[in-house]
Amino acid sequence: RQRTRHKVVRRKPKAMAMAQRIARGATKIARAVVDEVEGSQGTRAFLTGILKRGLAAEAGDLKKTVLHDFHVENGAKMVPFAGWSMPIQYKDSIMESTQWCRSNASLFDVAHMCGLSLKGKDAIAFLEKLVVGDVKSLKPGTGTLSVFTNENGGIIDDSVITKVNDDHIYLVVNAGCRDKDLAHIEKHLKAFQGQGGGGEKDLP
């Protein structure tokens, strides 16, 4: 709080103010580029996604994880991230936090990310049409980092894939790409099923 001659000015936490400036800047850039770009539909969709997330952050319309109240009660500084209110720092300094993590252990709230299951006898065959990697050779209970690619081999998003068993795959995609990734999976799943393949998608 800073007193002036005429009024009391309440300063926002530096981290929050910085995050909001970044969100506003990204929004302005994305809006300008979306208006001018003559690129592919995928490029426009990607930039439009940035624009939508930026506008959501500016408007304060943020989702909360199940641990949100815990973060706030423990003094976390909450900032917008991919449409969610997420902790960026607690009461300790960055150095103290880093040293604690190296000497002991730290936890990261990943409840904002999108987890889903693919089930059925053809789950692996279907997924291998969408990602890079040999999912079939994974041992049950193990996983790998991979990427979703488009028809031209370009990267759509990265993902962590876990092979629960031969008929059950669990994967996690990024919160900021949730809608785009799910639409991509759904589109190809319908085509795969239309060709006689089996499998279903479950969101937890």
Side-chain angles (χ1 to χ4, degrees):
R1 178 180 295 190
Q2 174 184 343
R3 293 191 176 278
T4 68
R5 185 176 299 176
H6 301 290
K7 61 182 179 180
V8 175
V9 178
R10 289 184 173 83
R11 288 182 172 176
K12 296 180 180 179
K14 290 183 179 179
M16 175 67 79
M18 182 179 294
Q20 291 178 339
R21 286 198 298 271
I22 292 173
R24 286 194 293 270
T27 299
K28 291 179 181 178
I29 293 172
R31 182 184 288 115
V33 177
V34 167
D35 290 340
E36 298 295 332
V37 71
E38 296 181 357
S40 66
Q41 183 177 358
T43 301
R44 291 181 61 86
F46 173 74
L47 293 169
T48 301
I50 294 177
L51 177 59
K52 289 180 179 179
R53 293 196 293 275
L55 291 173
E58 286 187 61
D61 184 18
L62 300 176
K63 300 175 184 177
K64 299 177 181 179
T65 72
V66 293
L67 295 176
H68 180 272
D69 292 343
F70 171 85
H71 296 312
V72 174
E73 291 169 0
N74 284 274
K77 296 177 182 178
M78 309 300 291
V79 300
F81 178 77
W84 294 78
S85 176
M86 297 296 294
I88 192 172
Q89 186 180 353
Y90 286 88
K91 296 178 181 178
D92 54 353
S93 68
I94 294 177
M95 182 58 69
E96 289 171 335
S97 177
T98 301
Q99 291 175 340
W100 174 268
C101 182
R102 290 181 174 180
S103 302
N104 301 278
S106 296
L107 298 177
F108 177 63
D109 183 0
V110 296
H112 64 295
M113 301 186 76
C114 177
L116 63 146
S117 291
L118 295 173
K119 298 180 180 179
K121 63 181 180 63
D122 296 324
I124 293 177
F126 166 68
L127 183 61
E128 287 187 339
K129 291 179 176 292
L130 304 183
V131 302
V132 176
D134 186 2
V135 180
K136 184 177 181 179
S137 67
L138 291 175
K139 296 181 179 179
T142 65
T144 185
L145 178 66
S146 186
V147 292
F148 285 95
T149 58
N150 59 29
E151 287 76 6
N152 298 319
I155 296 175
I156 297 174
D157 191 17
D158 60 344
S159 175
V160 177
I161 300 171
T162 300
K163 180 180 179 181
V164 181
N165 55 50
D166 290 338
D167 299 326
H168 183 188
I169 299 295
Y170 182 77
L171 51 147
V172 179
V173 299
N174 290 295
C177 299
R178 173 192 173 99
D179 294 341
K180 175 182 66 175
D181 291 348
L182 292 182
H184 179 74
I185 294 172
E186 190 69 34
K187 170 187 172 182
H188 286 275
L189 180 59
K190 288 181 178 179
F192 184 75
Q193 292 172 332
Q195 296 171 357
E200 59 183 19
K201 171 174 65 67
D202 290 336
L203 288 172

